[in-house]
Amino acid sequence: MNALAPSVALDTAAARVMLRARDITKSFGPHLVLSGVSLDVKRGEVVCIIGPSGSGKSTFLRCLNFLEVPDAGGVWVDGERVACQEIDGVLWELPARVFARQRASIGMVFQRFNLFSNLTAEENVSLALRLVKRLPRSEARDIARAVLASVGLERFIHHRPSQLSGGQQQRVAIARAVAMEPKVLLFDEPTSALDPELVHEVLSVMTGLAGTGMTMVVVTHEIGFAREVSDRVVFMDGGGIVEQGVSGEVLANPSEPRTKAFLSKIK
Amino acid sequence: MANASPSAVSGAQDYLSGKPRVLGRGKRMAVTSLVIFAAAALAAYILTSGAFNWTVIWAFFFHPAILSGLAMTLELTALSMIVGVLLGVCLAVMAVSRYPAVSAASALYVWMFRGTPLLVQLIFWFNIALVFPTVGFGGWSVSVNALVTPFMAALLGLGLNEGAYMSEIVRAGIGSVDKGQREAAQSIGLGGGQVMAHIILPQALKVIIPPTANQTIGMLKNTSLVSVIGAQELLTKSEDIYARNFQVIELLIVASLWYLLMTTIASGIQFWLERRFGDDRAIRRMVGEQA
């Protein structure tokens, strides 16, 4: 392939950037949801995106792995352009096979878990290991069991999603994403659909994951998690980033009035 | 009875407790006996009037020709449903294709086969040799007349028609799967075909199975249409016999009793399948259709 445009060239200083989003723009019909959002996430960094509903934070996250196709802008993971390739000055979509393979390196955890309801917990985790990574069945099963054990679910490997609590389902969903050894892990409000007493078990798994050096982008309303675990907090409103910075500072002393107003409401 | 709070008066009960007596029991009894009486009178008339010759009916019930017709009916039903289901899955997957030409081809097929009467289609396939006298590939060719026997024409007609209806059922099944399932599968790197085969279709099954059982029961009866092209199933065999002995009504009753027996057994299997696989939504939808 040929060189990237100079404005987004990955220089040596930026080589530590694991995820790069540039000028992501997205409209649904006449409604502009994202107006040119850019974000760099360093290797091993944990970034929390907060903001009122309708601010575009979930849409932005879904644009990062092209579950929503942005109208403009670009996404790079570990220096590789996501879903697109430039050939002789023309932007083409990647071949479906290559794109699918690439998506396996961008893990995603959904608000509503989206576990495969026809499969057991173990099968949920091992499916892509077999089908995408082409591992033999026994090896995929061993990895699945190990990852499920790491989220504390070794006793539930043969349970179906309907037999698990919300918190357990979300931990299986995290295990399913982690098993693929993604370069970056995206969380779309992972605790918003949980009963309050189950939030903690999911957050503690995520905290453990952050400790392993996983690069994470987390859309969340859990300010406590943002303060204690994330390296950086990004506040979005009206389809753009209003303010960002070291989590402790932004959350304690927001400089923008809109951030102040939002934080005062949810505390 | 139990007092909610300890401060309430204990012991003496100042109200009547328990289930209330049902109102209108007498009316219900009257209606029930009227219906039973009417049914019994009708049955007595049918059995004793001499309008139907029960000896003839019984004599032909297990006649070898009838039994072979019965076997053919079951064979046609099974094979046509297999053709229909396979075709229906293909057409449904085509219908949700990202290529407009492919989904249009599926829509065209469904439009044609659902828009023309099954009876016309059966006669059409039976006479297909008028349009294509031979089919061949390279130097090899074969007469269509030899290829399209009444059985083949029946199978083509019933199977291809069923494919159109099954595709709508499978499509509804695919549509019933939550879109988060597809998104999750894509996010871990599964390709389009893998998502369909491992996630979407297995989950669509519980919506697909109950109406498919319904279609099978319909197919048991629809096979009788192929008597017009002489495909040797139950009705054809019955007609053959009454053409010779003129016991028209008796042989139609023989055929009807066999159809009733088959559809009753099939309904039993359907009931079991629904409990085993069916989810509430699908069952509600089917009940709604019948109402």
Side-chain angles (χ1 to χ4, degrees):
Chain A
M1 251 39 67
N2 64 5
L4 299 168
S7 62
V8 289
L10 299 172
D11 54 36
T12 45
R16 291 183 297 120
V17 172
M18 183 57 104
L19 174 78
R20 161 162 291 184
R22 276 284 170 278
D23 302 318
I24 301 295
T25 303
K26 178 75 185 177
S27 299
F28 291 121
H31 185 55
L32 183 67
V33 182
L34 294 172
S35 47
V37 180
S38 298
L39 182 72
D40 280 357
V41 181
K42 292 199 285 288
R43 195 178 297 267
E45 192 180 17
V46 177
V47 174
C48 277
I49 302 178
I50 60 171
S53 52
S55 59
K57 53 195 193 311
S58 276
T59 304
F60 176 64
L61 198 76
R62 290 165 58 81
C63 280
L64 295 178
N65 69 349
F66 275 63
L67 280 180
E68 300 293 352
V69 180
D71 300 330
V75 180
W76 290 260
V77 168
D78 206 8
E80 204 180 300
R81 179 109 189 218
V82 175
C84 308
Q85 54 184 338
E86 291 177 40
I87 304 173
D88 301 330
V90 179
L91 193 64
W92 294 89
E93 60 178 19
L94 280 177
R97 207 169 284 263
V98 181
F99 177 37
R101 185 85 212 187
Q102 193 178 46
R103 263 179 165 162
S105 69
I106 311 169
M108 177 112 179
V109 174
F110 299 85
Q111 180 176 355
R112 302 219 45 93
F113 330 133
N114 296 355
L115 288 183
F116 306 131
S117 56
N118 55 322
L119 302 178
T120 64
E122 179 189 293
E123 290 163 343
N124 263 278
V125 181
S126 65
L127 184 72
L129 295 171
R130 291 198 292 115
L131 296 180
V132 180
K133 289 203 166 179
R134 302 264 167 222
L135 297 181
R137 193 176 283 268
S138 60
E139 199 177 327
R141 187 195 58 210
D142 292 346
I143 294 174
R145 288 185 177 179
V147 180
L148 282 170
S150 76
V151 296
L153 291 174
E154 59 272 53
R155 283 172 41 235
F156 298 92
I157 53 176
H158 296 308
H159 283 55
R160 302 218 167 230
S162 58
Q163 300 167 312
L164 298 170
S165 73
Q168 290 167 334
Q169 288 189 56
Q170 194 61 297
R171 279 144 71 196
V172 175
I174 293 172
R176 175 175 68 182
V178 168
M180 295 300 286
E181 298 178 316
K183 291 175 172 169
V184 54
L185 200 42
L186 312 175
F187 292 80
D188 187 6
E189 302 198 24
T191 58
S192 298
L194 296 175
D195 291 338
E197 76 272 22
L198 303 176
V199 168
H200 168 77
E201 61 186 75
V202 170
L203 289 183
S204 77
V205 165
M206 289 168 63
T207 305
L209 211 50
T212 66
M214 176 67 77
T215 311
M216 291 161 58
V217 181
V218 185
V219 169
T220 188
H221 292 297
E222 293 293 330
I223 300 301
F225 177 82
R227 183 183 311 115
E228 283 146 38
V229 181
S230 71
D231 303 302
R232 180 152 51 111
V233 165
V234 173
F235 175 69
M236 279 182 74
D237 193 14
I241 293 177
V242 175
E243 179 172 4
Q244 59 175 311
V246 178
S247 20
E249 290 170 19
V250 171
L251 295 172
N253 301 305
S255 53
E256 295 290 326
R258 276 193 283 178
T259 318
K260 272 180 203 155
F262 174 73
L263 288 173
S264 69
K265 253 182 253 167
I266 66 169
K267 263 171 197 166
Chain B
M1 289 259 102
N3 288 309
S5 69
S7 64
V9 185
S10 60
Q13 186 179 292
D14 55 357
Y15 65 97
L16 293 172
S17 90
K19 284 185 185 167
R21 259 192 217 169
V22 180
L23 272 177
R25 242 185 205 163
K27 208 198 286 180
R28 213 186 321 173
M29 290 280 279
V31 171
T32 307
S33 20
L34 199 68
V35 170
I36 288 176
F37 176 77
L42 190 64
Y45 174 76
I46 288 172
L47 289 169
T48 61
S49 70
F52 309 111
N53 188 338
W54 291 98
T55 329
V56 173
I57 291 171
W58 181 245
F60 280 101
F61 200 70
F62 293 108
H63 191 280
I66 294 290
L67 292 183
S68 85
L70 189 66
M72 178 59 84
T73 290
L74 289 171
E75 191 181 336
L76 268 179
T77 302
L79 291 177
S80 304
M81 283 310 296
I82 290 171
V83 171
V85 167
L86 293 179
L87 200 57
V89 171
C90 289
L91 287 166
V93 171
M94 283 169 69
V96 296
S97 165
R98 58 194 286 230
Y99 301 106
V102 175
S103 60
S106 167
L108 183 71
Y109 183 98
V110 173
W111 173 73
M112 269 179 44
F113 281 84
R114 290 213 315 179
T116 54
L118 176 54
L119 188 54
V120 174
Q121 290 173 32
L122 284 166
I123 299 171
F124 178 85
W125 288 115
F126 188 57
N127 292 297
I128 192 72
L130 297 177
V131 194
F132 304 107
T134 58
V135 284
F137 185 78
W140 176 85
S141 93
V142 63
S143 152
V144 166
N145 248 333
L147 201 66
V148 182
T149 58
F151 176 78
M152 277 303 292
L155 188 56
L156 276 172
L158 294 172
L160 297 186
N161 183 261
E162 188 58 32
Y165 284 89
M166 280 308 303
S167 84
E168 296 290 290
I169 290 171
V170 175
R171 210 155 61 116
I174 291 174
S176 75
V177 178
D178 180 50
K179 86 177 178 25
Q181 296 282 315
R182 176 185 296 276
E183 289 183 351
Q186 287 173 337
S187 79
I188 50 172
L190 266 60
Q194 291 174 327
V195 178
M196 193 53 88
H198 292 272
I199 306 299
I200 309 287
L201 283 179
Q203 292 187 33
L205 265 192
K206 60 182 181 180
V207 174
I208 291 171
I209 281 176
T212 302
N214 232 12
Q215 291 294 108
T216 309
I217 292 170
M219 181 64 83
L220 274 170
K221 294 177 293 176
N222 276 345
T223 53
S224 64
L225 287 173
V226 308
S227 62
V228 297
I229 57 174
Q232 306 303 310
E233 40 59 66
L234 185 54
L235 184 60
T236 311
K237 292 290 192 184
S238 309
E239 286 174 348
D240 285 352
I241 297 172
Y242 73 61
R244 279 180 269 116
N245 70 2
F246 305 115
Q247 307 276 5
V248 178
I249 298 300
E250 282 70 16
L251 278 144
L252 287 180
I253 289 177
V254 169
S256 299
L257 288 175
W258 276 116
Y259 282 122
L260 266 177
L261 190 67
M262 287 189 290
T263 51
T264 304
I265 293 171
S267 299
I269 297 172
Q270 180 191 23
F271 180 74
W272 176 81
L273 278 173
E274 267 175 27
R275 269 198 326 188
R276 173 83 176 69
F277 293 101
D279 70 346
D280 307 341
R281 275 176 305 165
I283 292 170
R284 263 206 300 278
R285 200 174 310 126
M286 289 206 359
V287 170
E289 265 172 21
Q290 283 159 7

